[in-house]
Amino acid sequence: MATFLMTQRPPPPLIGANRCPPLAGRADFPTSRRHLPGRRHGYPFRCDSSSSSSAPRDHPPRPRQQRPRTQLPGGRGSAVDPVGFLSKLGISDRAFAQFLRDRHKAFKDRRWELCSRFIDLKEASSGFELLGMHRHRQHRVDFMEWAPGARYCSLVGDFNQWLPTENCAREGHLGHDDFGYWFIILEDKLREGQEPDEYFFQEYNYVDDYDKGDNGVDAEEMMRRMKAEYWEPGEIRSRKSQLEMVAKLYEQMFGPNGPQTEEELGEIPDPQTRYDEWKASQKVDSSSLSPSYDIIDSGQPFDIFNVVTDRASFEKFQSKKPPLAYWVEMRKGRKAWLEKYAPTISHKDKYRIYFSTPDGALERVPAWATYVLPDAEGRQSYAVHWEPPPEEVYKWRFGRPKVKGSLRIYECHVGISGSEQKVSSFQDFTSKVLPHIKNAGYNALQLIGVVEHKDYSSVGYKVTNYFAVSSRFGTPDDFKKLVDEAHGLGLVVLLDIVHSYASADELVGLSLFDGSNDCYFHSGKRGHHKYWGTRMFKYDDVDVLHFLLSNLNWWVTEYQIDGFQFHSLSSMLYTHNGFSTFTGAMEEYCNQYVDKDALIYLILANEMLHDLHPDIITIAEDATFYPGLCEPTTQGGLGFDYWVNLSVPEMWLWHLENVPEREWSMNKIMKVLVSSNRNMLSYVENHNQSISGRKSFAEIILNSAKCPDRSVSDDVIRASSLLKIIKLVTFTTSGGAYLSFMGNEFAHPERVEFPMSSNDYSFRLANRQWELLDKGFHKHLFIFDKDVMSLDETERIISRGSPNIHHCDDTSMVISFTRGPFLFVFNFNPEVSHQPYYVGVEEAGEYQLVLNTDETKYRGRGELKSSQYVRKTCDKRYDGCRNSLELVLPSRSAQKMELFIDAINICTLVAFGDKMAKWRL
């Protein structure tokens, strides 16, 4: 069943025979909402059924018992209610409500399990600070990897001539804990003629070249000064050995002069008596500066509160400050380190990880590698140690911008962003495409295919290395510059993240990483996608959650990413991967095919991202419109900021390919467009509608107009008019966010097709024809798209309330609705122009035409004259409104009108307001 057909009827209750009526507007939605402050939340659908049973009641229902609700820590937001959003959406299904309660209990258990290992979500999402390869301050490099199924682990690479026994970690040596984390230390090599550091804790500052340690002061002299400043005379008692005190006590009790028999030992007095005897034997020496800490053994378990001390000694000890200044003096700089040591692994050195498993030896690319390159033959990749010297480290120039109001997203793929038939780079994209995005009026950039992947034909969705940018586009610093320059232009950068599945490649990816089949993924059939040949993550495993949460935090922390679109959630939320027959019934959201662990991971991901990064943007791409996608996690939702209405592009594609234009139903189109408008991201087409054999909308419309040469003819004008009104009606009905794929803003005439075996690995369709921006009707369509974006920049059209549909006629094919103070009128009729045509409006006055798709500057026919740009209302009721407008509607055209208030009317309103104020007084 087509996706867009599901949105016309929301899921019915599981119990009872009554089905929910079709969606029609937002008038019956409750207005009160409880949510976390500063977050945007929406809902994908509503069910108007108020009862979960069709049988009549014999008795009045019992009042619902009010249960205490858990308050959020720190006073954040409202109380926790696992089913809080159901009443707001009108969902009364008991089975689904019980599923939400059970899911909340499982969520609390999972969070407790996670925090018992990693303290809190911040620590659980900061694994990149420990795992992988990191420079340590004590002239060494630390490497950590998770491989519970391995029996032996080592690093092989350029730095040790690929020897698997040189730098290794095994059980009982250099760290292999009970959770399967391997730890390897790579000691820097001492240069010839240099002496090792005298103190094992000697640290080096690798950040800059300023060397405070090279001041000519000997380390022994530095330690003497430190002791002289910190300790006072008598506070330090030198001992020959740490066991000196123990030896004295042993000698006293069991030595030759100690008691030899029980009679000599005598009766042991109680602790208080022994303490008093010992205290009386001590000499009272007022000149002694040693702190007097006495412990009385009362026979109870040791407690720090049993320690008795005098106040003077305590305050004296607390007033001491550690000698940090001298400690900094002892830290040497990068120059001193380079003179004394040679790095055991240098910048851009290649390496892999070597495992010994029950099934034999394996070589893998580390799971936490931040830069991965293929070898010369392209058979097996290797990790690259990315540690540029301080003078080459990228320095961020711009801060993160903030989106005010609506979100206008420009979706891009870096590899196909150039005009040439090749893989474009980050540098090319930064210099050529970013200025165009800013000029086109978009305020957000969404990148797909950026994370490292081996198969280029997969568009980057079969990810192999989750912490690495794709090396085919450039280096990590090149990507940082791209993000930084986008921020400088005021563009927020979103990343299309794929945590719903992973590549099944065993040499590069995570599949069979440590030799076992259930390291990162489920074993058996559940661990494999039924149609895409990918692996499915094990979301109930704490270490897998640690990996995925850390991956999200890594992109925000390391690359300053502003948000994520979570790709293809339906493939992870259901064990059938979203390919089962789906009707939208509530039972399908809580039956045995729903992966509760995947839902818990999404809740954890949203809570972590929004807690650590309050301005983060998260978008859910789910074809099944799971209930509560954009509801607060405290109210039983998943916590996303926006949800993608995948029904909209499917609806347009279905109409263009299967329905003659004269038979389009305006009512069906509008039901899909405004089925649930809150926090809804809409788009006409993205890369999915023009990839791997599927045609782009421009290609479909132009071919149907029989104008392959794209000459400026009447057929081209009529075809481009359809593209304009489709784009405008989709844009003006979106719920705060709109997306357009690269090239669609000027009606790119060809689809996208990545090089693969079916096209002999050709790059002919894996690029964008930017030269069309200055040619023919493509230039005019780009001007139209730019003007639409500019209108939203100034008027905030799509961030206002939901559209109020006044007129929707299938016979005339005319749609009219208001959004805020603006009136939008669409005539989808391909042949008939309506003159005159009446539409209803509430406010009386003169309406001025602000945007007209039929203007000649947009390659329209220009049927409207300048004298027809201002229309005055009449008091004739129409469409249920108090007033009406008489309009001229050319075929295949759309108009945006605004109530016109001139200076005289403003003065009249001001004078009227003054009179009303005096009257009230």
Side-chain angles (χ1 to χ4, degrees), residues 468-659:
V469 295
S470 181
S471 58
R472 57 176 56 87
F473 306 141
T475 66
D477 285 351
D478 292 337
F479 183 62
K480 288 182 180 179
K481 183 177 180 180
L482 186 156
V483 177
D484 198 20
E485 293 296 328
H487 288 169
L489 295 173
L491 303 173
V492 298
V493 181
L494 309 177
L495 192 65
D496 199 2
I497 198 74
V498 187
H499 283 182
S500 50
Y501 53 85
S503 171
D505 192 285
E506 299 178 6
L507 295 179
V508 184
L510 301 176
S511 185
L512 300 179
F513 181 71
D514 61 350
S516 62
N517 195 35
D518 59 349
C519 182
Y520 284 94
F521 310 108
H522 289 290
S523 58
K525 293 183 179 180
R526 189 179 176 186
H528 297 266
H529 197 286
K530 298 180 180 180
Y531 298 96
W532 295 345
T534 52
R535 299 301 307 271
M536 307 305 297
F537 282 106
K538 189 166 52 174
Y539 300 104
D540 59 341
D541 191 281
V542 171
D543 296 289
V544 175
L545 291 177
H546 182 217
F547 177 83
L548 295 176
L549 293 175
S550 299
N551 183 241
L552 295 173
N553 197 15
W554 160 261
W555 288 103
V556 181
T557 304
E558 180 70 13
Y559 293 105
Q560 306 292 314
I561 295 298
D562 302 292
F564 300 96
Q565 174 173 296
F566 286 72
H567 172 75
S568 186
L569 295 186
S570 56
S571 63
M572 66 185 287
L573 295 182
Y574 309 94
T575 55
H576 53 65
N577 304 130
F579 281 83
S580 177
T581 302
F582 201 88
T583 63
M586 288 302 297
E587 187 271 339
E588 294 171 322
Y589 295 120
C590 57
N591 58 19
Q592 69 273 22
Y593 301 109
V594 177
D595 192 340
K596 189 185 299 182
D597 297 319
L599 290 167
I600 292 174
Y601 161 67
L602 294 177
I603 297 174
L604 287 170
N606 276 294
E607 285 196 351
M608 181 272 296
L609 287 172
H610 287 95
D611 287 345
L612 299 184
H613 314 284
D615 295 326
I616 204 74
I617 300 171
T618 57
I619 304 172
E621 185 190 66
D622 177 24
T624 65
F625 310 115
Y626 196 87
L629 282 174
C630 292
E631 294 300 324
T633 57
T634 57
Q635 301 300 301
L638 300 183
F640 288 96
D641 297 314
Y642 295 94
W643 64 281
V644 182
N645 192 344
L646 297 171
S647 300
V648 174
E650 291 291 333
M651 175 200 66
W652 290 125
L653 183 63
W654 184 75
H655 277 83
L656 290 173
E657 291 183 339
N658 301 288
V659 183

Side-chain angles (χ1 to χ4, degrees), residues 106-281:
F107 165 74
K108 291 193 297 183
D109 294 339
R110 185 65 42 77
R111 180 159 183 164
W112 173 259
E113 184 182 6
L114 192 67
C115 294
S116 64
R117 284 271 303 274
F118 303 104
I119 301 178
D120 55 17
L121 284 182
K122 182 179 180 180
E123 292 294 328
S125 60
S126 301
F128 55 86
E129 296 178 356
L130 293 177
L131 282 97
M133 192 166 289
H134 299 278
R135 167 64 61 182
H136 195 276
R137 292 175 296 182
Q138 295 177 4
H139 51 80
R140 76 187 200 207
V141 174
D142 295 344
F143 177 82
M144 187 180 290
E145 187 63 79
W146 181 61
R151 299 184 300 188
Y152 173 88
C153 175
S154 67
L155 285 176
V156 296
D158 294 338
F159 63 97
N160 62 2
Q161 288 73 48
W162 300 88
L163 295 176
T165 58
E166 176 113 4
N167 301 96
C168 60
R170 52 192 177 273
E171 192 168 356
H173 178 68
L174 294 183
H176 174 208
D177 63 15
D178 296 335
F179 301 106
Y181 287 90
W182 297 84
F183 183 61
I184 299 175
I185 296 178
L186 306 177
E187 293 282 353
D188 289 335
K189 301 175 182 178
L190 192 66
R191 296 186 186 272
E192 186 177 356
Q194 296 288 337
E195 294 293 333
D197 288 323
E198 184 173 359
Y199 296 96
F200 71 93
F201 52 80
Q202 183 70 61
E203 296 182 353
Y204 290 83
N205 182 10
Y206 298 94
V207 177
D208 53 56
D209 290 330
Y210 180 65
D211 195 348
K212 286 189 175 182
D214 292 342
N215 52 11
V217 181
D218 184 71
E220 288 292 338
E221 176 65 17
M222 192 71 66
M223 294 294 290
R224 190 191 65 78
R225 293 182 185 179
M226 186 187 307
K227 292 178 180 179
E229 180 177 323
Y230 187 72
W231 300 106
E232 297 184 15
E235 286 188 328
I236 298 181
R237 293 193 299 266
S238 60
R239 292 200 194 116
K240 298 179 181 179
S241 171
Q242 294 181 354
L243 300 177
E244 180 181 0
M245 182 66 68
V246 178
K248 288 183 177 180
L249 290 174
Y250 185 87
E251 176 70 20
Q252 182 180 357
M253 295 184 65
F254 305 104
N257 298 323
Q260 301 297 320
T261 63
E262 292 186 3
E263 290 76 9
E264 294 181 8
L265 181 62
E267 185 178 356
I268 300 177
D270 61 277
Q272 185 66 42
T273 304
R274 296 200 310 270
Y275 170 75
D276 294 338
E277 293 176 355
W278 172 83
K279 192 69 175 176
S281 65

